[in-house]
Structures are given as structure tokens and as C-alpha cells.
Amino acid sequence: MPVKSIKLNNGVLMPEIGLGTWRADETGVLAETVKKAIAMGYRHIDCAKIYNNQREIGKALRQVDVPRNELFIVSKIFQNKHRPELVPGAVDEILEELELEQLDLLLMHWPYAIKPEQESADFTADELEDVPIMDTWHAMEKLVDQGKVRSIGVSNFNQQVLEKMVPQCRILPAMNQIEVHPYNPEHELVKYCQSQNIAVTAFCPLGGGKISVMNDNLIKRIADAHSCTPAQVALSWLLARGIIVIPKSNNEVRLKQNLRTAALTFDEIRMISAIKSRERKVDPSRDIEELTWVFHPDKAQCPLI
């Protein structure tokens, strides 16, 4: 069964289920996973420069027997390329690694910048750099004009930042990719984005790591009722909210399962939405206090819009 698509605010269709590739950098393994996923029906591949695996993905894309216009490829600018004069070259590098002429969606990976010489995600507060978000965004808008990208959006942006950003945009963000799962539901942020016609993609849709979403008793009970997996329940709950999902797996059985949704009842959706447990997998403020504002805007304000 073909994966359904969501229409972005620029009219571009984006498959609502994609393949996540964060921390999937085993040489050779990822390329095979991408090829298997596309053969199963996946058409949306989520990438990023900092994942350090785009050449593997590009190799796989070159080998699949699916027309380019049937695929939806997403990538993200790393924080060391936020200076507007660096944005075009950053995207050229992404395109070269993926062996593409155009991206379907380009995201600003984080709402803060680091110094250009810092090429690792392991950085300190001393390596943060003051680059206004809108300077980077206007450079991304020009890439749409030039045809290098079809759509542009953001990732890890909170509502307060978006409220200041949106009025200044010539091209409205088509997407906000954020961590969303039953233990981090982001009800208010999702509601805001959708009210502004900004689509939402959930990364870590199954929690992952030490986050115990898949062991939640309610989710397991609902899975038993539908004869499906807890992962399928979590993904179906997100899709029912109009949220795009990008689960990651190298396992062929789970790849297939993640494409099959469960028909959750209204009450089941409501009960999952009411889960009280709260855990977040990604939070830069755990390492750098100066980035508290990214996910805790009640404690600190974004310094530069």
C-alpha cells in the first residue's frame, strides 16, 4: 500500500512516513537499509550533514530503480554554516554527498549557530556564535529562488522563536522537525505550528534510548488490542495528529511494520495523549547552560532572531 502524503504550505506533497537515518552510520549497512526501505515502499528519506552518512545514502539512491521525482529527500544545515555567506556552499556540499541536483526539503537543524571551524556536534559554549536566525533564513529563501531546494523549514524551534520569526519570512517555513512521542507530546507547539500551516515531523517518534515508551503499559495494551506492535501504536498516534514520522530501523521486519498503521479509536488517541510521563531524548542544555532557551523558553529567551 502506498504511503499517504501531506501537502506542505507551498503545495509540495511529502510522504507522511519516512526513514530516519540519525546514528545510522555503519558503512555499507545504511546503504542496504535505504535500498530495502525504498523497495518496501518508503519514498521519504531524512538526512542531515552532521549525521556523517550522506555519501552512503547517495550511493543507495543512485542504485535504486525509482524515479527521482517519486522520492522525497530531506537534509539539514549544520550549525557551523549559519553565516549567510556559508549557506549556499553548505547546500552544495549536501547535494554533492547525496548525488542530487535538488533537495525536496532543507531544514535549519537548530536555532543557534556555532563557529565555522567547529565541525563536530561535540562543542562548548565558547564555540557558540551570534548569527541572527533571519540572516540564515533569508539565505535559505534564496536557494528556493535558485531551484536548489523545493521547500525550506526548521528543526528544534520552539513556539516563542517561531512567533518572532514568521512575520519576518518571505517564505514561510514548510516544516518544523521536533522530538515528539507519547512521553514528549508537544501538544501546544504542534497546535501552534499547524495553526500557522507549518507541518510537523516527529524525530525519535518511538522515544528510543533509555526512554521507555515501548514498555508503557497503556501502549502495550492498545497494541495487544490491535494485534500490532507498541511501535505501530506510537506511530499511528502521531499520524492521527497529522504529524509526519521518521522512525529508524535496520531490521527488515520492523521496517515493514512501521509502514503499517493501526486504526486507533478516538478514545485510544485521547488516552495516549493524556499519558503523564515526560522524557526528552535530546536537550542541548544538559551540556551547555547557555542553550537552555532552546527547549525551556520559560527560563531563557532566544538571543537572536
Side-chain angles (χ1 to χ4, degrees):
M1 180 181 295
V3 174
K4 295 179 182 178
S5 293
I6 288 177
K7 184 179 285 189
L8 302 179
N9 59 26
N10 60 353
V12 172
L13 294 177
M14 181 174 182
E16 66 179 9
I17 302 174
L19 178 68
T21 64
W22 180 36
R23 293 181 175 171
D25 54 2
E26 307 91 336
T27 301
V29 175
L30 178 58
E32 289 304 311
T33 297
V34 170
K35 288 189 286 186
K36 287 179 183 178
I38 290 174
M40 292 175 191
Y42 285 83
R43 293 295 182 265
H44 165 191
I45 311 296
D46 183 79
C47 317
K49 174 62 180 174
I50 194 57
Y51 298 169
N52 295 317
N53 57 15
Q54 291 188 141
R55 292 194 185 280
E56 278 280 300
I57 296 168
K59 175 183 175 182
L61 295 177
R62 186 177 71 246
Q63 295 174 359
V64 297
D65 189 24
V66 173
R68 171 65 183 94
N69 63 5
E70 293 184 14
L71 298 173
F72 194 98
I73 310 300
V74 182
S75 192
K76 310 174 191 76
I77 294 177
F78 187 49
Q79 297 95 290
N80 69 342
K81 302 294 185 182
H82 275 213
R83 294 182 189 177
E85 67 271 18
L86 299 179
V87 171
V91 174
D92 286 342
E93 190 173 348
I94 289 170
L95 291 171
E96 187 268 329
E97 289 181 350
L98 290 170
E99 302 186 37
L100 298 176
E101 295 182 358
Q102 184 186 55
L103 284 174
D104 296 288
L105 176 60
L106 174 69
L107 304 179
M108 194 186 311
H109 206 154
W110 288 90
Y112 61 85
I114 61 176
K115 295 177 181 178
E117 58 270 22
Q118 176 56 29
E119 297 184 350
S120 166
D122 184 17
F123 55 88
T124 66
D126 291 338
E127 290 162 309
L128 294 173
E129 182 173 65
D130 291 337
V131 179
I133 288 170
M134 292 312 303
D135 287 1
T136 309
W137 185 255
H138 290 320
M140 292 170 63
E141 290 176 327
K142 291 178 182 178
L143 296 174
V144 178
D145 299 335
Q146 296 165 7
K148 288 188 177 182
V149 300
R150 297 174 71 201
S151 315
I152 51 177
V154 297
S155 180
N156 298 299
F157 274 49
N158 65 47
Q159 180 173 336
Q160 287 79 355
V161 173
L162 286 170
E163 286 175 341
K164 294 177 182 177
M165 177 185 177
V166 165
Q168 303 181 60
C169 294
R170 177 169 62 87
I171 299 176
L172 187 71
M175 176 63 61
N176 188 15
Q177 185 179 124
I178 54 177
E179 179 179 345
V180 193
H181 47 74
Y183 284 10
N184 190 55
E186 293 285 14
H187 293 302
E188 292 305 315
L189 179 54
V190 170
K191 181 179 178 182
Y192 169 77
C193 288
Q194 293 176 339
S195 75
Q196 298 297 311
N197 207 14
I198 299 171
V200 175
T201 294
F203 72 79
C204 297
L206 307 179
K210 297 179 181 179
I211 300 178
S212 53
V213 172
M214 296 300 96
N215 293 319
D216 185 272
N217 288 331
L218 171 63
I219 290 176
K220 289 198 293 185
R221 287 201 306 272
I222 294 173
D224 289 343
H226 288 271
S227 300
C228 68
T229 66
Q232 287 172 300
V233 171
L235 296 174
S236 299
W237 171 74
L238 288 162
L239 292 167
R241 298 174 62 197
I243 298 172
I244 293 169
V245 297
I246 47 171
K248 184 193 80 171
S249 181
N250 291 329
N251 182 284
E252 191 166 342
V253 172
R254 287 196 289 272
L255 283 169
K256 290 178 180 178
Q257 289 173 340
N258 291 343
L259 285 177
R260 302 193 195 107
T261 58
L264 302 181
T265 67
F266 176 81
D267 282 342
E268 288 168 339
I269 294 168
R270 179 185 56 78
M271 287 189 292
I272 296 171
S273 296
I275 288 174
K276 299 300 182 184
S277 298
R278 291 291 178 266
E279 296 182 71
R280 180 187 287 279
K281 183 172 183 176
V282 179
D283 188 345
S285 68
R286 292 173 187 153
D287 300 312
I288 300 176
E289 185 179 357
E290 287 82 352
L291 295 177
T292 297
W293 60 268
V294 176
F295 292 137
H296 308 280
D298 55 321
K299 298 179 181 178
Q301 294 290 317
C302 175
L304 290 169
I305 302 289

